[in-house]
Structure formats: C-alpha cells, structure tokens
Amino acid sequence: MRDVTWARLRTFATVAETGSIRGAAEKLHVTEPAVSAAVGSIERQLGVELLSREGRGIRLTESGRTYARYCRTLLGLAEEAAAAVRTPATGRLRIGAVATAGETVLPRLLAGFRDRYPEVDLSLSVRPRDDLFAELEQHETDLAIAGRPPRGSGLVSVATRPNGLVVVTGAGYDVPPASATWLLRGQGSGTRSTCLALLEQRQWEPPTLTLGTLGAVLAAAREGLGLTLVHADAVAGALREGSLRVVPVTGTPLDRPWHLVTNSTPPPATRLFVEHVCAADAAADLRFHPHNQPRG
C-alpha cells in the first residue's frame, strides 16, 4: 500500500465523484492519461478492478464503490488532522447546511462569528440533508446545520435551536388542504419527507407538484399554485408582508428544531463555533442551546 499516494487517492475519489475520467481531469487540472494512469496504478497495487467500461463511459465496480468511500474518509481525516493541530482562532471550519438553514439561519451566525474570529478559514456548502450527514461521517465536513442526525450514525447533535414547520400558501389561494395541490421539495429533502408523512398521517391523497428548491416552492406558493410545508424561519418575512399566509392543518406547526451536528472528533474551530452560537450574548432569535458537549 505504500505506493498508493495521497495524490492517487484524491484522483480516484474525484473520478468516483464526477463519474468520468474526463470530469476528474478537468476538476483536478491534469490530463486524462494522468488520471487513467493513477487509477491503473491503484488497481495493480490492490489487485482488483475498480472501474469497468460501460458503453463510452465508466462505472465503479462494487470494489470501486467500497474503495471510494474509504478514500473520501481518509482524505477527510487528513484535512481534519491538519486543522486539529492549529489554534481554534486560526483554524479551518467546513460548515454544511440544508438549503433553508443556509438561506435563513446561517448568514447571521457566520457574520457574527467572522467579526469575532476573522482568521478562521471558513467554507460553506449547501446540500441535501442525506448528503450532509454522509459528508460528516466521512470527515469531509466539520459541522452541519440540519435536522436530527440518523440514529446509529455515530454523529453527535451538540446543540439545538427552536424551529417549526408550518403550512403556507398564497394570500388568494383558498382550496381545502385535503384536495389542494401540495408543493414539494426535491428528493433528499427532509422537509419533503416530513410533508409526505403528514399527508399519509391525515390519509390524504392530494395532487402534488415537485419544484425542487426552496425558492421555487415559495414562489409557486405565492402565485397560488398550492400549499407547502416549510420552516417558519423561511417565511417569516413573507407572512409579515402578507404575500403568504399560514393554513391551519391538524398536527401543525410541527416541532422540528435545528441541530448543530458534528462527528465524534470535531476540530478546535468547530468547538469554537459551537461555543459562539450558544453564548449568552448571542442574539436571542439565533441562539442555540447546548445539550451534548463535542469531544475533542
């Protein structure tokens, strides 16, 4: 294994991520033959086939999928290790957030944190919930703002902030919820799953329309295309101005607090961020409440 260098691990992980030799070469700014050579070297060292040809493209073999998961974890751990030895105020913090949190909660949290700790190297990715938790498990992200992490995942919810899910629609839309069109987020969205569970619980089978992003769903609701279940944080302004209104539905609002989620070994800058957003002097409408201290 000593011949499998970090560069080759990163190359193979990028092939797995992009799904092609060409895509990996473009992302890594190297030639396609260089990528193919790196993958071939790993295959010879391991004695297994990681990629197979499929038409004019490639696909990962079962061994390739397994190896890609380990590559992502090893690379993530290497970055985490480098961050762990730096002082918290000069470290690196990779934050992930679901779309609603990324658009409503996180900007003000980041602004206050950046003002206090300007030398922390911050990066942000907005991803579906399932992708965020996978990145946390593989040490590619240090902290996520999302819903509750899956049981048995090994991820730790270190703090929560109150939040609710409400049903809203445009001011002029007046169709009973049981027969109204329900506007849904895309696959992988926790809000989508919760909305479908709510409809099943009510034993409703209304028409649905999938629009993907939060912005598209809210725009459709304002235009009177239907109802949607959404985080109250995301519609506070629209409710105040009257472009959206809350629709009473039994069982709502749903209590769905925001969670700060880490893996079991958060770097120092991650712990610093958690302390900052849980501090007594944090804005009351943004403050998180610790209930598990992350281990370092």
Side-chain angles (χ1 to χ4, degrees):
M1 286 299 295
R2 60 181 178 274
D3 292 334
V4 181
T5 64
W6 288 108
R8 289 172 183 162
L9 290 177
R10 188 172 299 282
T11 297
F12 183 73
T14 306
V15 171
E17 176 190 351
T18 61
S20 74
I21 298 293
R22 175 179 294 178
E26 290 175 351
K27 187 165 185 177
L28 295 171
H29 305 292
V30 298
T31 65
E32 292 182 39
V35 172
S36 296
V39 174
S41 176
I42 297 173
E43 289 181 320
R44 288 191 296 274
Q45 183 70 22
L46 297 177
V48 297
E49 186 180 63
L50 301 177
L51 301 177
S52 64
R53 293 290 175 183
E54 190 172 72
R56 302 179 68 177
I58 60 169
R59 67 174 180 84
L60 295 176
T61 63
E62 183 63 33
S63 294
R65 286 191 291 273
T66 299
Y67 195 68
R69 287 195 298 272
Y70 278 97
C71 284
R72 290 177 61 184
T73 300
L74 287 169
L75 292 165
L77 279 168
E79 291 189 22
E80 186 178 290
V85 299
R86 298 166 65 181
T87 61
T90 60
R92 185 226 48 222
L93 176 57
R94 302 167 299 178
I95 299 179
V98 294
T100 304
E103 294 174 13
T104 61
V105 178
L106 193 53
R108 287 176 61 195
L109 293 176
L110 287 181
F113 184 74
R114 173 52 61 89
D115 285 344
R116 184 170 293 183
Y117 303 106
E119 294 186 42
V120 172
D121 180 14
L122 284 172
S123 64
L124 170 66
S125 63
V126 176
R127 312 273 283 167
R129 177 197 59 177
D130 293 346
D131 291 348
L132 283 181
F133 290 149
E135 289 179 357
L136 271 175
E137 288 184 273
Q138 292 164 333
H139 299 264
E140 296 174 314
T141 297
D142 300 313
L143 178 141
I145 302 180
R148 184 186 299 276
R151 294 183 184 277
S153 65
L155 301 178
V156 182
S157 175
V158 297
T160 54
R161 172 186 170 277
N163 176 58
L165 291 172
V166 294
V167 178
V168 300
T169 189
Y173 189 79
D174 192 22
V175 179
S179 55
T181 297
W182 284 73
L183 310 171
L184 301 177
R185 299 279 299 279
Q187 295 289 342
S189 163
T191 306
R192 173 193 175 95
S193 300
T194 303
C195 184
L196 293 174
L198 175 67
L199 297 179
E200 183 177 357
Q201 182 184 37
R202 303 301 303 158
Q203 297 185 328
W204 292 342
E205 297 183 1
T208 61
L209 177 61
T210 297
L211 291 159
T213 67
L214 172 64
V217 166
L218 294 183
R222 282 193 294 268
E223 293 300 321
L225 291 180
L227 311 179
T228 191
L229 184 72
V230 66
H231 290 276
D233 282 327
V235 293
L239 294 176
R240 284 194 299 269
E241 69 185 22
S243 59
L244 292 174
R245 64 179 179 86
V246 173
V247 178
V249 172
T250 302
T252 65
L254 293 167
D255 181 27
R256 290 295 186 273
W258 293 118
H259 290 253
L260 293 184
V261 184
T262 72
N263 57 48
S264 60
T265 57
T270 302
R271 299 195 296 272
L272 191 67
F273 183 83
V274 173
E275 292 169 5
H276 173 75
V277 301
C278 294
D281 61 351
D285 62 329
L286 289 177
R287 186 184 307 141
F288 279 75
H289 305 283
H291 53 82
N292 245 335
Q293 291 302 315
R295 294 172 287 170

